[in-house]
């Protein structure tokens, strides 16, 4: 392996993601960390759960940058360190497209379902606030994976290690969302079976579907 850890395009993507994430999150970093801390609190917070409702443009930009960070991790999880200087950009691009489509579909589906449930007073949180929480959590995942990507590029970590750490970060993010579904989203009028169906359809399902697609398209073992 030469002295250069990755191709120029790979380094440009990583630095661009790092810069944009800093610009998007930096000015409101305190509120962002408060939101993340409230997500992993076991205290029932109901509709008062701390989350930032951003403008549509800001939310779209933050989600796109975060998903680019996740996609970069997929590329690093496929290639061993010796292969990264010649890594195929198609893997990262394909992963990014898959993530964007699935996340957009999830946001639209959450909005439609939550609007219906909110109108029947089966959930406590306004749909726009729950979608904002989804964006916050995908940004949290993107930030965690920026650190993983940095280590994978410069240490470097093996592809198997990147996979394990990246999946652990995804599991942590999903755990936070599931925790808030159980403690803050629903009222007492919603039964356990309904909550389980909600989790499978809107939280666990999209993550599993994305992983299956990635394994099929990138030959991840």
């Amino acid at each position: 392996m030469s002295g250069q850890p990755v191709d120029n395009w790979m380094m440009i993507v990583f630095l661009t993601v790092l810069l944009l994430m800093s610009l998007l999150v930096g000015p409101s970093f305190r509120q962002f960390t408060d939101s993340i801390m409230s997500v992993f609190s076991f205290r029932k917070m109901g509709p008062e759960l701390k989350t930032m409702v951003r403008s549509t443009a800001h939310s779209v930009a933050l989600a796109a940058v975060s998903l680019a960070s996740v996609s970069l991790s997929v590329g690093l999880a496929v290639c061993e360190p010796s292969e990264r200087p010649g890594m195929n950009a198609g893997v990262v691009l394909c992963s990014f497209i898959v993530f964007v489509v699935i996340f957009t579909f999830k946001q639209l589906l959450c909005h439609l379902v939550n609007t219906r449930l909110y109108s029947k007073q089966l959930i406590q949180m306004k749909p726009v606030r729950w979608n904002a929480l989804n964006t916050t959590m995908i940004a949290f995942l993107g930030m965690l994976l920026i650190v993983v990507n940095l280590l994978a590029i410069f240490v470097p970590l093996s592809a198997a290690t990147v996979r394990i750490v990246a999946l652990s970060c995804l599991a942590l993010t999903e755990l936070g969302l599931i925790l808030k579904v159980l403690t803050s989203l629903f009222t007492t009028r919603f039964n356990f079976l309904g909550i389980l169906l909600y989790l499978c359809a809107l939280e666990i399902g999209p993550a599993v579907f994305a992983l299956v697609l990635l394994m099929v398209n990138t030959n991840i073992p």
Side-chain angles (χ1 to χ4, degrees):
M1 180 178 178
S2 65
Q4 184 172 339
V6 292
D7 276 350
N8 289 335
W9 74 266
M10 180 83 156
M11 187 61 68
I12 289 172
V13 171
F14 173 75
L15 293 176
T16 300
V17 167
L18 179 61
L19 175 61
L20 291 178
M21 185 68 79
S22 300
L23 291 174
L24 290 168
V25 176
S28 56
F29 186 72
R30 178 61 183 274
Q31 295 94 320
F32 181 83
T33 54
D34 285 346
S35 297
I36 297 301
M37 290 176 65
S38 70
V39 166
F40 292 99
S41 170
F42 287 91
R43 183 167 60 91
K44 185 175 177 65
M45 303 184 74
E48 301 305 317
L49 174 67
K50 294 179 181 179
T51 186
M52 296 177 61
V53 179
R54 307 168 181 84
S55 67
T56 301
H58 190 282
S59 296
V60 169
L62 183 58
V65 172
S66 303
L67 293 174
S69 177
V70 178
S71 302
L72 200 53
S73 294
V74 172
L76 293 167
V78 170
C79 298
E80 294 296 340
S82 60
E83 301 170 335
R84 286 170 189 163
M87 195 174 81
N88 184 1
V91 173
V92 176
L93 180 60
C94 177
S95 302
F96 180 72
I97 293 172
V98 169
F99 287 134
V100 167
V101 170
I102 292 177
F103 183 73
T104 301
F105 178 75
K106 177 186 175 182
Q107 289 289 75
L108 291 173
L109 189 59
C110 277
H111 184 75
L112 290 173
V113 172
N114 288 348
T115 298
R116 183 69 179 271
L117 295 177
Y118 187 75
S119 68
K120 294 183 176 181
Q121 291 300 296
L122 294 174
I123 61 173
Q124 304 181 78
M125 194 181 303
K126 292 181 179 179
V128 66
R129 291 184 64 81
W130 188 257
N131 275 28
L133 180 62
N134 279 330
T135 302
T136 297
M137 294 308 290
I138 201 67
F140 176 60
L141 176 61
M143 292 175 71
L144 290 176
L145 292 183
I146 283 176
V147 178
V148 177
N149 295 340
L150 178 65
L151 293 174
I153 289 172
F154 289 105
V155 171
L157 302 178
S158 68
T161 302
V162 174
R163 285 198 294 273
I164 293 170
V165 177
L167 287 173
S168 299
C169 292
L170 175 61
L172 179 65
T173 304
E174 287 298 320
L175 178 64
L177 285 170
I178 291 171
L179 180 63
K180 289 302 103 178
V181 168
L182 297 175
T183 61
S184 298
L185 183 63
F186 287 100
T187 67
T188 55
R189 295 174 55 193
F190 214 77
N191 59 42
F192 175 77
L193 184 59
I195 295 176
L196 183 62
L197 181 61
Y198 182 95
L199 285 172
C200 291
L202 298 182
E203 298 302 333
I204 301 172
V208 172
F209 183 59
L211 289 174
V212 171
L213 280 181
L214 286 174
M215 286 192 296
V216 169
N217 289 293
T218 60
N219 295 318
I220 297 178

